[in-house]
């Protein structure tokens, strides 16, 4: 199975500018291809991961991926998916984002066999006259107005700055084609117009015979029709400082039976036979969640490394058994980041005061006494029945946390300040 056929089987292709031409090209040579990454956030998220996974598939097949960090275009603002003009970031924030994202991309693609470039390096050298004379003449306004990303903004308004974004992205493709022999751009479905502009520019500047192609990935929706990639806490970031590998693992492990096979196809590098076998297990023994576990393992290993998988599964096992006293402070921070929490002082605190602070755990000391006497309360993994007990935060987790469990499943966290 060729790589285009494999991507189609995985449901990873939305549109191509010339599928037959691209397929023929891939039969004759190893190519260079690129994805653009917007550095206006501190991290890329799993929505970005879909086209990046395609680049990784090409890399595994011997092709050469190039990542373009939008140091220039990010300062302008991509109108795609935005209802209003983008707020431009201060240069120092922008530069820090570029450094963080570069680190994340290196973790995905390794140190060899791929290249990261910044389009600021060439876009910043353009002056207004050369921009208008060399490129502006080649972009008919009537065509630009029909691009989806522009047309959707005409009623509410779009600045000339964001209107020109598609020209700048086209210049990216032309520059990479000319200087690095990049022949394919991969992007999200909302980027098809911009990608097509790049292909058209290359044909106008080089000639209609130039072999340049575009490929977009579909918008990934869950079986209930909602957009994949969001959690109750927001975006699923790839930066471990913004979302712990444990939470990342859990996000994929908690996917539904109806979605998990589709996600295995898109996000993992398992072959069709392995995925078909997991689909059979979902149908015959869904309670085992074998497909979800494999999905979580594969994607977490790709993004954070195999050690992160081991750590996530260790935390999961500890939480399942309730033996939270075996966690480290760092593991507590990762595992309990989303549970209800209170803030306490570092000194000793009576258990009744701890349980009733801010009415978070118990609504009254009477109810707290009842739950203690009934054995429903555990502190740091130890059952507490003494209503006069005193809790010392310094006893566990480097003195930073106290874990309270009421009943079998309800956890609360006290953070020491």
């Amino acid at each position: 199975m060729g790589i285009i056929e494999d991507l189609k089987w995985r449901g990873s292709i939305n549109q191509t500018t010339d599928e037959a031409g691209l397929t023929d090209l891939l039969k004759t040579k190893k190519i260079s291809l690129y994805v653009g990454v917007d550095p206006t956030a501190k991290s890329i998220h799993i929505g970005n991961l879909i086209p990046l996974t395609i680049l990784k598939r090409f890399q595994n097949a011997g092709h050469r991926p190039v990542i373009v960090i939008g140091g220039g275009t990010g300062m302008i603002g991509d109108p795609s998916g935005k209802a209003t003009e983008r707020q431009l970031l201060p240069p120092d924030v922008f530069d820090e984002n570029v450094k963080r994202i570069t680190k994340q991309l290196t973790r995905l693609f390794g140190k060899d066999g791929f290249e990261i470039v910044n389009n600021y390096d060439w876009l910043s050298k353009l002056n207004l006259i050369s921009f208008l004379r060399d490129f502006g003449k080649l972009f008919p306004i009537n065509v630009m107005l029909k691009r989806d990303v522009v047309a959707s903004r005409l009623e509410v308004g779009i600045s000339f700055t964001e209107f020109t974004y598609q020209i700048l992205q086209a210049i990216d493709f032309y520059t990479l084609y000319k200087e690095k022999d990049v022949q394919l751009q991969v992007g999200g479905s909302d980027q098809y117009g911009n990608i097509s502009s790049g292909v058209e520019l290359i044909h106008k500047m080089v000639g209609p015979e130039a072999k340049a192609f575009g490929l977009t990935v579909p918008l990934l929706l869950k079986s209930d029709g909602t957009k994949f990639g969001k959690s109750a806490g927001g975006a699923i970031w790839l930066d471990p400082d913004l979302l712990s590998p444990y939470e990342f693992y859990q996000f994929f492990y908690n996917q539904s039976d109806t979605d998990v096979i589709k996600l295995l196809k898109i996000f993992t590098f398992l072959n069709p036979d392995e995925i078909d076998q997991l689909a059979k297990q979902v149908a015959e023994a869904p309670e085992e969640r074998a497909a979800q576990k494999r999905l979580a393992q594969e994607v977490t290993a790709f993004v954070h490394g195999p050690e992160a998988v081991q750590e996530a599964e260790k935390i999961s096992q500890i939480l399942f058994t309730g033996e939270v006293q075996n966690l480290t402070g760092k593991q507590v921070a990762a595992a309990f980041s989303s549970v209800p929490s209170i803030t306490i002082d570092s000194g000793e605190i009576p258990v009744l005061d701890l349980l009733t602070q801010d009415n978070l755990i118990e609504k009254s000391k009477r109810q707290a006494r009842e739950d203690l006497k009934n054995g429903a309360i555990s502190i740091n993994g130890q059952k507490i029945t003494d209503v006069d007990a005193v809790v010392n935060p310094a006893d566990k987790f480097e003195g930073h946390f106290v874990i309270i469990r009421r009943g079998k499943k309800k956890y609360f966290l006290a953070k020491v300040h």
Side-chain angles (χ1 to χ4, degrees), residues 369-382:
R369 289 188 184 94
E370 254 184 59
D371 284 345
L372 284 164
K373 290 177 180 178
N374 291 334
I377 301 295
S378 293
I379 305 291
N380 294 339
Q382 300 296 320

Side-chain angles (χ1 to χ4, degrees), residues 344-349 391-396 399-402 416:
I344 61 174
D345 293 327
S346 58
E348 293 184 343
I349 180 173
V391 177
N392 185 352
D395 287 343
K396 290 292 296 180
H400 297 310
F401 305 104
V402 176
V416 180

Side-chain angles (χ1 to χ4, degrees), residues 59 97 194 233 235 253 258 355 404:
Q59 184 185 41
N97 290 351
N194 293 336
Y253 183 80
T258 51
L355 295 178
I404 305 102

Side-chain angles (χ1 to χ4, degrees), residues 210-231:
K211 295 185 183 301
F213 306 91
L215 182 156
T216 64
V217 301
L219 177 66
L220 186 55
L221 299 176
K222 295 191 289 187
S223 55
D224 61 6
T226 59
K227 189 175 180 180
F228 177 81
K230 298 288 185 180
S231 70

Side-chain angles (χ1 to χ4, degrees), residues 189-227:
S189 58
D190 59 346
Q191 292 292 316
Y192 187 75
N194 293 336
I195 292 173
S196 297
S197 294
V199 173
E200 292 164 8
L201 177 62
I202 292 170
H203 288 161
K204 289 175 181 177
M205 297 287 284
V206 179
E209 73 287 349
K211 295 185 183 301
F213 306 91
L215 182 156
T216 64
V217 301
L219 177 66
L220 186 55
L221 299 176
K222 295 191 289 187
S223 55
D224 61 6
T226 59
K227 189 175 180 180

